Amino acid sequence: MITALLLFWPALAALLVLLIKGQGAKKVAFVAALVEFALSLFALSEFNTQSGAMQQTLSFPWVASAGINFSIGMDGISLLMVLLTTFLIPLIVLSSFKHDYKNPNVFYALVLFMQTGLIGVFVAMDAFLFYFFWEVALIPVYFIAAVWGGANRIRVTFKFFVYTIFGSLFMLAAFIYLYLQTPGSHTSDVNAFYQLTLSSESQSWIFWFLFIAFAIKMPIFPFHTWQPDTYTESPAQATMLLSGIMLKMGIYGVLRWLLPVVPFGVSQWDELVLILSIIGIVYASIIAIRQRDLKRLVAYSSIAHVGLIAAGIFTLNEQGLQGGVIQMLSHGINVVGLFFIIDIIFSRTQTREITSLGGITQNTPALSIYFMILLLGSVALPLTNGFVGEFLLLSGVFQYNGWFGAVAGLTIILGAVYMLRMFQGVMFGTKSELTENFSDLSLNEKAVLIPLVVMVFWIGLFPNTFLSISEPAVHNLLSIINR
Amino acid sequence: MISIILLSVFGIINLFVGFMKSKRILLPLALLFLAVVFGVNLFSWNDTQSYFNNMLTIDNYAVAFTGIMTLSTLLLLPFSQRYVDTEDSNLAEYYSLLLFALVGTIMMVSYENLLMLFIGIEILSIAMYVLAGSDKRSLRSNEASLKYFLMGAFFTGIMLFGIVMIYGATGTFNITEIGAAEVATDGVLNTMFILGLLLLVIGISFKISAAPFHFWTPDVYDGTPTFFTAFMSTIVKTAGVAAFYKLMDAAFASTYAYAAWFPTLVAITVLTLIVGNIGAVVQTSMKRMLAYSSISHAGYLLIALVAFNDKSESSILFYSFAYSAASIAAFGVLKMVADQRGSEEYAAFNGLGKTNPLLAFAMTVSMLSLAGIPLTAGFFGKFFIFTSILQNPDMLWLVIVAIVLAAVGIYYYLRVVIAMYMQPTTDTEAVRVGSFASFTLIAITILTILLGIAPALVSDLI
């Protein structure tokens, strides 16, 4: 029941927000998002962390004649993803308080509506329900990006929309095929998919149909071409939604709907996927070094980080999978923080060019500290959240293949290069005319950054809080994959 | 049967009411007539009856399709409000012809005899030829009417020729008897039978504007007044596809006949999908885009027909209703925008999100539905069709073709949304919307979203 409440509350709140005229909408949206966060904490308190099975389930017929059920539930992985979503959305709403977007009621209603889609993706236990929410999450963020975005927004978001729908249509075809393979009068339940015995040829093509959808969403090299432009042109909040939460849909999709469903398909192609992911890591890192636009730089760094997560989970060992789960949380927190800081800098200087910035530290002790912490989390310094995830992921990749691990390990060095170079260019050096009167963080901005920074240390120092939640689910997943 | 009689009588009554001075009564009256027919039709549910020596059979298939076609017409009529407002002198005739056309479509979904199919198509077509040319002073409307008539007459001839050949081969017009007839000797199919079958397929393909028999479509749809284009591209198409499926299912389901038409229809399907979607991409006129889009949707409907299994009927039913509802809203909005802004180009829609939030929202939902994106009925339409064709895993390639072209479809549907919400405009005057029309737009939008959440309401009917 709590799952259903988590799922539908944001949609209801969205309708409510839609009715509010003027900038009051943002406050209502913020309160609604906080309520959602409280609900998710309640779900956590009710959660049995010893079990790897789906909990808090709810199921009733949706399209009865076709055997499609509206069935939702959470295991440890889902729960962590839900918590990430409910934790980040209030902060994303809060981060927008200094902007006065036109039609604020529509803007915030779309954010909340998207939250329903995101939660739905993470709790769906039925393939078609999953697909349904997968697309439901896309529509609001498309409108947020395309209506409130930058100068090139129309062309760029158009590409994003068509690209992702193109991928997900293949996923739909694969789901329909799998559904028709289930015995009896067919069902699209996740457990029925896990029990299918398919020939290795059909697993091979189904793998690609599903993988292409997830790979575009993440994005994995070479399906990433929509991402830097979209992140750059979208308004800050849409970028945070896309990078912080939406790309996790792709990774989550791999964990729930790809690895356990077509294990033979995975075993045929995992090496190629790892190679692509590792190419992506190195390629995106090198491009990031060359970037002058802050948003583009972080966008490319995101491709590199996601590449490592993908490489880790496709190793199919426990370290890789656990590392992938924890790194999804860390990446969500770090990237949202970084994009928020970029938004702060942009709203004060109207530029994101590294070369026209500099010397900000002199006026802003608080901003500098928060920025530095998030940045160090992102480059995986020990004691920060990034370290735990990357360590586990890299150890997973090393177990798979030493050479792969060595090349993937470059991410730490290259990451340090582009991140520190960015910090140097933006924060140190001499002041430019744009940064002359740069004011330090407002209370509101601190309220966004402090929770993020707390999480950076929490995950960095006590990763077991989170790892223990996902561990039974990961074990369960591995036992299904190796059935 | 009673709905056929009622519609004919109502059509005539409508003509006489047209003699009255005030035209205001006509629209509510026509709506009332359709509502009555819709209700009466439902009484035949689960009560299969044959009429006229087994010429017509009203079964659940016929009732379901009659229901959605009547409902679609009901949803379409309010968009004729401008004719009412301008006191168009021929309004009564328009409504009567639409009611008569609806009689034709009902015969097309309930025929048991090829002659009835032919008569149904003719009743429908003649009304449509007239309506296509109803804008007497417009050259384009006249051209559309003439083109439609000449091409239509030609293909009706082909179809009639096919019917005769089938009669020659089997000695009957009854479709069930044709299905039972022995048409092959030593595994070789009777030549006359094959020829008749193919001519019939070609004739009906023309009516539903399937490629390569679609050449008339863009010009005729473009020239016909928008209100009647909406009827042509939705209700007429639904009737055509329903008649097509009924024919194949009853008369040509035997292994030999199936082997003869299956490759032909697969080719027609693929060609239709390609022509419709690629053709729509290059249009700058919204109306021509919708014309090509209607070709492409004929292609998706044909996929369900090609699948030819127990899921086909319900997926055709659901898809055609989802498509009709969305198309009617799209044509309706187009008509109102074009009437006021004087252009049918995409650019006429610029800034509609600001000036007319309701129109823009209804249009957006319709476009998403036509593109097949979840939360709208169109998604489940595509879903049921893909489910039905994939029962035969060898047809996976056709699904891939359809998917790639569906992605192309998103391109041109989204352009409308972009124009409405994201393109700047100088035209800040709101488009006038009649009360009937705005109520109908709200109803269609709710219906589209409702069926996108609870598709079982329609899909589980048959």
Side-chain angles (χ1 to χ4, degrees):
Chain A
M1 205 55 223
I2 180 73
T3 321
L5 206 57
L6 272 170
L7 183 57
F8 290 118
W9 167 248
L12 283 175
L15 290 178
L16 190 72
V17 168
L18 208 51
L19 299 175
I20 295 169
K21 292 273 172 279
Q23 296 294 337
K26 60 176 75 160
K27 297 204 179 79
V28 179
F30 179 61
V31 172
L34 278 184
V35 171
E36 175 79 356
F37 183 52
L39 284 174
S40 68
L41 289 181
F42 177 72
L44 174 66
S45 70
E46 295 279 292
F47 193 81
N48 174 8
T49 50
Q50 304 302 312
S51 157
M54 287 287 180
Q55 302 178 31
Q56 308 282 8
T57 55
L58 177 75
S59 180
F60 56 85
W62 188 23
V63 188
S65 61
I68 301 173
N69 291 314
F70 187 96
S71 69
I72 51 178
M74 291 186 280
D75 66 0
I77 303 173
S78 309
L79 181 68
L80 285 180
M81 289 301 109
V82 169
L83 283 169
L84 177 73
T85 312
T86 58
F87 172 72
L88 287 178
I89 297 251
L91 297 179
I92 290 171
V93 172
L94 191 62
S95 79
S96 70
F97 269 37
K98 62 176 178 297
H99 296 285
D100 281 336
Y101 289 115
K102 60 180 167 120
N103 300 330
N105 56 338
V106 181
F107 182 89
Y108 292 101
L110 285 172
V111 172
L112 289 172
F113 189 62
M114 182 184 177
Q115 188 172 17
T116 286
L118 292 164
I119 304 263
V121 165
F122 296 136
V123 301
M125 287 167 59
D126 182 286
F128 297 124
L129 195 63
F130 173 81
Y131 180 83
F132 186 81
F133 284 121
W134 177 273
E135 300 291 40
V136 166
L138 173 67
I139 297 168
V141 80
Y142 166 74
F143 278 100
I144 296 175
V147 175
W148 285 272
N152 287 321
R153 62 188 198 279
I154 294 177
R155 186 180 54 78
V156 165
T157 52
F158 195 73
K159 179 174 169 187
F160 159 63
F161 192 80
V162 174
Y163 211 142
T164 46
I165 292 249
F166 178 71
S168 44
L169 281 169
F170 278 96
M171 172 166 77
L172 178 64
F175 279 163
I176 293 176
Y177 181 86
L178 289 165
Y179 158 78
L180 292 170
Q181 304 308 308
T182 54
S185 57
H186 305 314
T187 161
S188 48
D189 187 77
V190 65
N191 292 312
F193 277 19
Y194 290 172
Q195 278 155 16
L196 288 173
T197 44
L198 301 162
S199 70
S200 75
E201 292 84 42
S202 48
Q203 292 209 14
S204 175
W205 68 259
I206 294 171
F207 172 85
W208 278 104
F209 273 42
L210 293 171
F211 179 73
I212 210 161
F214 301 140
I216 289 173
K217 207 71 152 197
M218 288 197 240
I220 289 181
F221 176 87
F223 304 104
H224 66 281
T225 51
W226 61 270
Q227 191 253 34
D229 286 340
T230 309
Y231 281 16
T232 315
E233 289 297 330
S234 300
Q237 279 66 39
T239 314
M240 293 181 202
L241 287 168
L242 285 168
S243 60
I245 313 173
M246 198 162 192
L247 73 80
K248 274 58 174 194
M249 282 166 48
I251 304 167
Y252 177 83
V254 170
L255 291 174
R256 176 81 63 220
W257 297 100
L258 181 64
L259 302 178
V261 172
V262 284
F264 287 121
V266 174
S267 67
Q268 289 170 54
W269 297 108
D270 58 345
E271 198 161 359
L272 180 61
V273 173
L274 267 125
I275 291 171
L276 286 178
S277 308
I278 291 167
I279 292 174
I281 296 172
V282 178
Y283 167 85
S285 301
I286 291 172
I287 294 181
I289 294 175
R290 303 282 304 160
Q291 292 307 310
R292 301 196 311 174
D293 183 299
L294 286 173
K295 243 179 164 179
R296 281 192 100 80
L297 193 155
V298 177
Y300 277 106
S301 87
S302 179
I303 299 179
H305 285 127
V306 171
L308 184 60
I309 298 177
I313 57 181
F314 272 94
T315 61
L316 300 185
N317 54 46
E318 197 184 333
Q319 278 82 1
L321 289 167
Q322 279 282 50
V325 173
I326 197 95
Q327 184 68 359
M328 278 200 265
L329 303 181
S330 307
H331 177 262
I333 288 158
N334 295 337
V335 83
V336 166
L338 288 174
F339 275 123
F340 181 52
I341 285 172
I342 293 170
D343 187 39
I344 292 174
I345 294 173
F346 181 73
S347 63
R348 289 176 198 187
T349 62
Q350 300 306 317
T351 182
R352 292 190 304 255
E353 291 286 308
I354 296 176
T355 44
S356 35
L357 295 164
I360 295 178
T361 34
Q362 299 166 26
N363 299 5
T364 60
L367 174 68
S368 311
I369 290 170
Y370 294 129
F371 193 2
M372 195 67 201
I373 292 169
L374 288 165
L375 190 130
L376 291 176
S378 191
V379 298
L381 196 78
L383 302 185
T384 64
N385 58 358
F387 175 73
V388 181
E390 297 214 344
F391 180 82
L392 284 169
L393 286 166
L394 284 173
S395 86
V397 179
F398 264 108
Q399 283 177 39
Y400 183 87
N401 182 324
W403 286 107
F404 285 7
V407 181
L410 286 174
T411 179
I412 295 191
I413 303 167
L414 293 171
V417 172
Y418 59 74
M419 283 294 178
L420 293 173
R421 189 183 145 271
M422 168 173 83
F423 195 80
Q424 184 192 17
V426 174
M427 304 301 282
F428 296 138
T430 50
K431 286 184 181 176
S432 72
E433 49 193 288
L434 289 169
T435 58
E436 195 63 52
N437 300 311
F438 202 97
S439 55
D440 205 357
L441 296 176
S442 69
L443 198 63
N444 188 310
E445 289 161 344
K446 277 186 189 153
V448 178
L449 287 171
I450 288 172
L452 292 172
V453 167
V454 168
M455 289 312 291
V456 168
F457 286 120
W458 190 345
I459 300 178
L461 295 171
F462 310 105
N464 264 331
T465 329
F466 303 95
L467 287 172
S468 64
I469 295 176
S470 61
E471 194 176 358
V474 167
H475 281 162
N476 191 20
L477 187 68
L478 279 170
S479 71
I480 295 168
I481 295 170
N482 300 323
R483 68 181 181 258
Chain B
M1 186 61 210
I2 190 130
S3 28
I4 295 182
I5 298 172
L6 274 179
L7 274 173
S8 313
V9 173
F10 286 158
I12 295 168
I13 293 179
N14 223 327
L15 275 179
F16 282 104
V17 175
F19 289 130
M20 296 197 339
K21 239 194 155 79
S22 169
K23 309 282 175 200
R24 301 244 152 239
I25 180 93
L26 282 169
L27 178 57
L29 194 67
L31 290 175
L32 178 74
F33 286 160
L34 284 168
V36 169
V37 171
F38 181 76
V40 165
N41 171 53
L42 297 182
F43 283 104
S44 308
W45 187 253
N46 279 339
D47 177 25
T48 306
Q49 295 270 4
S50 280
Y51 299 93
F52 302 135
N53 294 321
N54 211 12
M55 295 279 261
L56 279 181
T57 306
I58 309 285
D59 50 9
N60 280 358
Y61 184 82
V63 173
F65 276 100
T66 306
I68 65 162
M69 290 185 307
T70 318
L71 188 59
S72 302
T73 317
L74 197 61
L75 292 173
L76 175 63
L77 279 196
F79 295 109
S80 64
Q81 201 159 15
R82 192 179 156 85
Y83 292 122
V84 182
D85 295 342
T86 54
E87 302 262 321
D88 188 310
S89 55
N90 298 321
L91 189 60
E93 282 87 337
Y94 298 162
Y95 288 153
S96 298
L97 282 171
L98 283 183
L99 295 181
F100 292 145
L102 205 53
V103 172
T105 63
I106 296 176
M107 290 167 78
M108 285 166 71
V109 297
S110 52
Y111 67 95
E112 187 65 33
N113 189 299
L114 288 179
L115 288 180
M116 271 327 223
L117 170 66
F118 178 74
I119 293 172
I121 289 183
E122 279 307 280
I123 293 179
L124 170 67
S125 301
I126 287 170
M128 291 325 292
Y129 300 148
V130 177
L131 291 174
S134 62
D135 191 356
K136 283 178 296 212
R137 286 173 201 84
S138 154
L139 202 60
R140 281 164 71 214
S141 179
N142 279 306
E143 181 199 335
S145 180
L146 188 66
K147 225 176 216 174
Y148 194 23
F149 174 68
L150 289 179
M151 299 293 280
F154 182 63
F155 277 93
T156 309
I158 288 183
M159 214 178 98
L160 202 54
F161 205 30
I163 292 175
V164 173
M165 296 265 196
I166 296 286
Y167 183 79
T170 60
T172 174
F173 288 126
N174 182 296
I175 49 174
T176 318
E177 284 170 24
I178 295 171
E182 204 58 60
V183 287
T185 42
D186 303 329
V188 182
L189 208 55
N190 185 327
T191 319
M192 211 196 299
F193 185 80
I194 299 185
L195 210 56
L197 169 59
L198 291 183
L199 289 176
L200 259 176
V201 167
I202 290 172
I204 300 186
S205 296
F206 168 85
K207 294 290 173 198
I208 61 171
S209 66
F213 314 107
H214 68 283
F215 289 101
W216 59 280
T217 318
D219 288 344
V220 170
Y221 280 22
D222 198 18
T224 305
T226 308
F227 178 64
F228 303 114
T229 314
F231 189 86
M232 268 184 207
S233 76
T234 54
I235 291 128
V236 176
K237 190 149 294 183
T238 306
V241 175
F244 207 167
Y245 180 76
K246 192 175 164 72
L247 179 68
M248 291 308 174
D249 189 39
F252 303 115
S254 70
T255 328
Y256 291 118
Y258 178 78
W261 63 257
F262 180 73
T264 320
L265 258 187
V266 170
I268 290 179
T269 307
V270 173
L271 213 58
T272 309
L273 284 169
I274 294 175
V275 166
N277 282 299
I278 305 295
V281 167
V282 297
Q283 304 303 323
T284 55
S285 153
M286 171 82 185
K287 199 171 174 186
R288 279 187 92 86
M289 182 279 272
L290 284 174
Y292 276 101
S293 124
S294 94
I295 299 179
S296 83
H297 287 284
Y300 291 112
L301 282 163
L302 282 175
I303 295 179
L305 204 158
V306 166
F308 209 59
N309 52 39
D310 55 340
K311 299 272 185 227
S312 294
E313 281 182 18
S314 63
S315 43
I316 291 176
L317 181 76
F318 189 91
Y319 196 96
S320 39
F321 185 55
Y323 162 72
S324 298
S327 280
I328 287 170
F331 275 113
V333 174
L334 170 69
K335 179 172 159 50
M336 289 186 274
V337 170
D339 282 347
Q340 174 144 347
R341 297 190 172 170
S343 159
E344 283 162 356
E345 305 283 299
Y346 283 109
F349 284 80
N350 287 359
L352 201 67
K354 265 211 188 71
T355 57
N356 294 67
L358 171 70
L359 287 194
F361 184 70
M363 192 71 173
T364 305
V365 171
S366 305
M367 288 295 126
L368 294 180
S369 185
L370 290 175
I373 289 166
L375 218 64
T376 61
F379 163 66
F380 277 104
K382 289 227 168 52
F383 170 77
F384 289 132
I385 279 184
F386 290 161
T387 312
S388 129
I389 185 80
L390 270 178
Q391 306 244 336
N392 177 2
D394 292 342
M395 297 306 287
L396 183 70
W397 66 271
L398 184 56
V399 174
I400 296 174
V401 171
I403 283 176
V404 172
L405 291 167
V408 174
I410 290 164
Y411 171 81
Y412 53 79
Y413 292 126
L414 210 59
R415 275 176 69 183
V416 187
V417 178
I418 289 175
M420 290 189 300
Y421 287 107
M422 294 150 214
Q423 303 285 13
T425 176
T426 49
D427 201 346
T428 50
E429 195 189 342
V431 173
R432 280 186 308 278
V433 189
S435 49
F436 275 112
S438 41
F439 178 76
T440 313
L441 278 179
I442 294 171
I444 293 179
T445 307
I446 291 174
L447 200 62
T448 302
I449 294 177
L450 184 69
L451 288 181
I453 294 170
L457 294 175
V458 169
S459 69
D460 288 6
L461 284 179
I462 52 173

